[in-house]
Amino acid sequence: MPEKGSIRISVAGTTDVGQVREHNEDNLLVVDLAAGERLGSGDTLSRELGGKGLLVAVADGMGGAASGELASEMAVDSVHDCASAGPIGEESEIDAVAVALTDCVTEANTRIFDKSQAESEHRGMGTTMTAAWGFGNQIAIAQVGDSRAYLLRKGKLVQVTKDQSLIEQLIQDGTLTEEEAERLGGRNIILQALGVEEGVDVETKTMEVLDGDLFVLCSDGLSGMVKDEAIEAAVADVTDPATELGPACAKLIQLANEGGGRDNITVILARFEGEGLRAPMQPLSAEEGAPAAPAFAAPEVPQAKTPRTKPAICAIGALVVAIVSFFLLTGSDGDVTFRFPAEGAAGELIEVDEVGQPVSGGRTFTLAPPEGEKAALVESVPDGRYRLTARHEKYATLTVDYEIDGGGEIDVEMLPLPGTVTLVPALARVTVKVHRKPAKESDVPWSNEVKFEAAKPRVLDKVPAGDLEITVSRPSFVSKTITAVLPPKGEATIELPELEPITGKLEVSGGAPGMEVRIADDWGEVVWSATMPEAGGLEARVRVGEHFLSATHEKFEAHEDEVKIVEGETFLLRIPAIEKRGMLLVTGPADGRVTVTGTGGSKWEKRQKIPAEGKIRFEHVPPGKYEVRCELPDRPAAHEIVTVEAAREASVEFAK
């Protein structure tokens, strides 16, 4: 939760195509989340920091002009959309902000990867991203690739991110020195980018913001062309950030272009100041002839009795905040026990400075629990600031900082990697909601809703591991909820339950014995069917809803009707029994006059002259016996008795 007291922010951002490239594949994001205001390149902003904070990001696209520009644009837009719609509010904690930022960057990776897989012309596109979320007197910084974030504090510029590049890795491994790497070049051979693979490890950290802090975010088009000392000199003299940050951005763009401008150049400057921030650490002075003093001295503030944690490097859309309970012991050096969530986890503990950079010549400890155990004991750890990196094949890599004072015990809460769930429905047209039950209050809720048009299995990827609650529902049916457990990076096949229909009462009368009566819903699925008995009608329990009824019989006219079944009520329906009619074909001499008369009480009668072709057909004749007479002027009348049956044709032939 942000500290009380006003904090003023001043921000400016600029992007430039450079001197060599034809297209600008960089993109930037500067947005005041409280006001919902997003700045463009060349714009500036100066105001009090709102409750939801300030979000800035730099993205350097790759994959050709169209694809690289698209990837970086998707990255900044996705992070903006995700952060704006997320749960962060004025009462949130910085750890929750860090988790939200990590999740937003991970979501951007998923969107870019999915588009590159779906559209062949963008296959292989990707982008770096460095994003910072200023929230009260804290800031969360997320890193993927080799775009950078710097901090200028009391005139000293320090890089606060670590390049995810081949050269940087060789430096960290001790294969190259900084001087050798500078002569070799090649820092743009990045080891990780958004959109290239389905999963991504986002390196995220948090740090306190002090009064007067200036953060510099830039693509390697600046850091690769301009030395850190020159960047420091260009921004160190800013006294009125509201008016000078824009020109300072322009100056940095100019320096990069003068240095060759071999890549697109993007830079964002963000200055924080105000009574809501504590005073910065003061520079130390060295006595004459003594070694140079360090840039900063620790501020005189009470030492916290709990570790200051920083968020995990999350992977594959992870939604978590690293919460560590660390019970301190009294004294100076002491033993520290790390308890991991699963066997096979291990890690490394290294000493870092105030801005999270490894201390040259500092202490490093390897954490390797004995086989079959979850705890690793590190003996006699000197007091200081340390960074733990914990790894496990089924858990996301965790990075978190501690202020160790006298030893103690640490529960390392690593995020289990998501798995795959296969849902097997027993019924078509169901809606299935999968909900991951939070293991603790700080967990970010997760749920997914899937609609099944057919009763066919569906696979869900990237489902967070843990206790799952699955609810199956369909209109006119009673919903059911079941539970399942998805292990870390595991697979689960879940047979969904049958649903019981909600019913009302139907009573059918009339019709004719043997008549087939059936009711279907608007999808054509038969809800109920039966045959009319010899006596009486039909009674049944039928699923609620508005349905279509059809009654058919070979000797009776078909009947269709609408029925509305309501729970707890009875729907009454009477079906008419109308016999189907037949046909009568009469063949005889042309100009003969034919008379058809019903016998046995039937009053149906027709009279018609036979046409020239010698045939006449009477349709819609009620079933029964008929006398058919044919009269001609020059001969005696002829007659026949014929029976007409339902839905059949009878015939009579007279001599011509």
Side-chain angles (χ1 to χ4, degrees):
M1 185 169 60
E3 294 291 328
K4 300 299 181 182
S6 64
I7 299 173
R8 188 165 189 84
I9 51 169
S10 299
V11 195
T14 306
T15 185
D16 187 81
V17 70
Q19 300 297 303
V20 176
R21 302 289 178 89
E22 295 183 358
H23 304 279
N24 192 349
E25 298 181 49
D26 284 6
N27 265 287
L28 58 80
L29 173 67
V30 178
V31 58
D32 179 351
L33 291 171
E37 180 181 353
R38 180 173 175 177
L39 277 63
S41 176
D43 295 338
T44 60
L45 176 152
S46 185
R47 62 174 64 135
E48 283 197 9
L49 182 63
K52 290 193 69 172
L54 170 75
L55 179 62
V56 296
V58 169
D60 181 355
M62 62 186 188
S67 295
E69 185 176 354
L70 175 63
S72 63
E73 181 181 17
M74 288 182 66
V76 296
D77 288 347
S78 178
V79 169
H80 178 206
D81 295 343
C82 176
S84 299
I88 298 303
E90 293 186 14
E91 300 302 315
S92 298
E93 300 288 345
I94 188 60
D95 282 347
V97 175
V99 170
L101 180 59
T102 302
D103 293 343
C104 290
V105 175
T106 304
E107 173 64 22
N109 178 77
T110 300
R111 292 188 187 182
I112 299 168
F113 179 79
D114 288 348
K115 189 172 185 67
S116 72
Q117 296 301 300
E119 301 177 12
S120 58
E121 66 270 25
H122 298 307
R123 192 67 52 81
M125 71 175 176
T127 181
T128 69
M129 172 162 277
T130 298
W133 194 332
F135 189 79
N137 67 341
Q138 301 281 332
I139 193 167
I141 301 174
Q143 169 83 0
V144 176
D146 63 349
S147 292
R148 290 182 178 180
Y150 294 92
L151 167 63
L152 181 79
R153 179 175 288 172
K154 296 297 289 181
K156 177 65 176 177
L157 188 75
V158 179
Q159 184 179 338
V160 294
T161 57
K162 183 171 66 175
D163 296 347
Q164 296 174 346
S165 66
L166 177 60
I167 293 298
E168 182 64 31
Q169 181 169 305
L170 293 175
I171 293 172
Q172 295 297 317
D173 292 344
T175 306
L176 291 177
T177 65
E178 288 279 0
E179 293 74 17
E180 290 170 336
E182 190 169 332
R183 290 195 301 271
L184 182 63
R187 287 185 181 271
N188 61 338
I189 305 175
I190 59 175
L191 301 179
Q192 191 171 225
L194 297 182
V196 177
E197 295 183 358
E198 189 173 7
V200 66
D201 285 337
V202 185
E203 292 196 11
T204 310
K205 64 175 66 178
T206 63
M207 58 189 300
E208 184 182 5
V209 179
L210 304 183
D211 189 17
D213 279 356
L214 174 67
F215 289 88
V216 182
L217 273 67
C218 65
S219 63
D220 67 339
L222 175 67
S223 60
M225 294 289 99
V226 183
K227 292 184 179 297
D228 291 0
E229 294 81 359
I231 297 176
E232 178 183 290
V235 298
D237 294 333
V238 171
T239 57
D240 183 6
T243 60
E244 296 178 9
L245 287 187
C249 284
K251 176 63 176 178
L252 291 171
I253 298 289
Q254 178 185 345
L255 291 174
N257 281 323
E258 290 174 352
R262 293 192 295 271
D263 201 351
N264 308 140
I265 313 153
T266 301
V267 60
I268 298 173
L269 302 178
R271 173 81 169 265
F272 295 77
E273 53 193 353
E275 61 183 15
L277 304 173
R278 69 183 179 90
M281 294 177 280
Q282 300 297 318
L284 299 180
S285 59
E287 296 180 3
E288 187 175 351
F296 307 120
E300 295 181 1
V301 295
Q303 185 66 39
K305 289 301 181 182
T306 55
R308 285 156 51 178
T309 61
K310 296 185 180 178
I313 299 174
C314 298
I316 318 177
L319 301 171
V320 73
V321 57
I323 303 174
V324 180
S325 299
F326 186 18
F327 303 96
L328 296 176
L329 306 178
T330 59
S332 54
D333 299 354
D335 297 344
V336 182
T337 300
F338 294 87
R339 288 193 296 268
F340 296 97
E343 295 177 8
E348 183 181 57
L349 191 70
I350 65 173
E351 189 174 14
V352 294
D353 59 21
E354 283 287 333
V355 292
Q357 297 301 305
V359 175
S360 178
R363 307 166 184 89
T364 299
F365 303 92
T366 299
L367 309 179
E371 187 175 349
E373 296 186 15
K374 299 181 182 179
L377 175 66
V378 182
E379 298 180 357
S380 191
V381 178
D383 294 346
R385 183 187 295 270
Y386 291 85
R387 172 163 298 157
L388 166 68
T389 301
R391 295 181 176 84
H392 189 281
E393 62 176 0
K394 294 185 178 180
Y395 288 77
T397 299
L398 172 71
T399 299
V400 62
D401 287 1
Y402 303 98
E403 197 78 47
I404 293 181
D405 182 5
E409 296 182 346
I410 297 175
D411 286 319
V412 182
E413 298 194 14
M414 302 175 68
L415 172 68
L417 290 177
T420 300
V421 171
T422 301
L423 301 175
V424 183
L427 191 67
R429 293 186 285 127
V430 295
T431 298
V432 180
K433 184 174 182 180
V434 183
H435 173 68
R436 197 279 305 272
K437 298 169 65 176
K440 50 186 178 298
E441 196 173 305
S442 59
D443 278 355
V444 179
W446 179 93
S447 64
N448 191 8
E449 189 172 273
V450 184
K451 296 183 183 295
F452 289 81
E453 297 300 334
K456 296 181 179 179
R458 184 84 64 85
V459 177
L460 302 183
D461 293 322
K462 300 181 182 177
V463 179
D467 293 333
L468 302 180
E469 196 173 70
I470 301 102
T471 300
V472 186
S473 61
R474 177 179 165 178
S476 303
F477 287 81
V478 180
S479 299
K480 283 188 178 179
T481 299
I482 61 174
T483 59
V485 177
L486 179 64
K489 205 176 180 180
E491 298 180 358
T493 299
I494 301 173
E495 301 278 349
L496 301 178
E498 291 270 8
L499 300 182
E500 293 294 328
I502 303 170
T503 61
K505 190 175 181 181
L506 171 70
E507 292 184 4
V508 181
S509 60
M515 183 173 279
E516 296 293 332
V517 183
R518 72 174 201 165
I519 295 177
D521 63 15
D522 53 0
W523 289 79
E525 180 180 314
V526 176
V527 173
W528 171 83
S529 64
T531 302
M532 289 294 289
E534 290 291 334
L538 294 169
E539 293 185 4
R541 304 292 304 182
V542 178
R543 193 174 80 211
V544 300
E546 296 183 356
H547 308 307
F548 297 93
L549 176 143
S550 63
T552 58
H553 192 287
E554 63 175 0
K555 293 184 178 181
F556 293 86
E557 296 289 344
H559 177 76
E560 293 183 350
D561 217 328
E562 294 183 356
V563 296
K564 184 176 182 180
I565 308 298
V566 178
E567 184 180 11
E569 298 182 10
T570 300
F571 188 90
L572 302 175
L573 178 68
R574 183 172 181 81
I575 298 175
I578 303 173
E579 283 189 294
K580 289 183 178 178
R581 301 199 170 194
M583 292 180 292
L584 176 62
L585 176 64
V586 180
T587 305
D591 296 330
R593 184 171 296 278
V594 174
T595 303
V596 181
T597 306
T599 64
S602 174
K603 295 183 179 181
W604 195 88
E605 185 179 75
K606 291 288 183 181
R607 180 177 292 182
Q608 193 168 335
K609 187 178 180 181
I610 299 176
E613 60 267 24
K615 291 183 179 181
I616 183 172
R617 177 177 277 105
F618 297 93
E619 297 184 346
H620 306 294
V621 181
K625 287 188 177 183
Y626 293 88
E627 180 186 23
V628 183
R629 294 174 61 86
C630 181
E631 299 176 353
L632 287 169
D634 58 350
R635 70 179 72 173
H639 68 91
E640 295 281 350
I641 299 296
V642 65
T643 300
V644 177
E645 296 181 0
R648 295 181 182 276
E649 184 178 82
S651 63
V652 176
E653 184 174 356
F654 295 103
K656 295 184 179 180

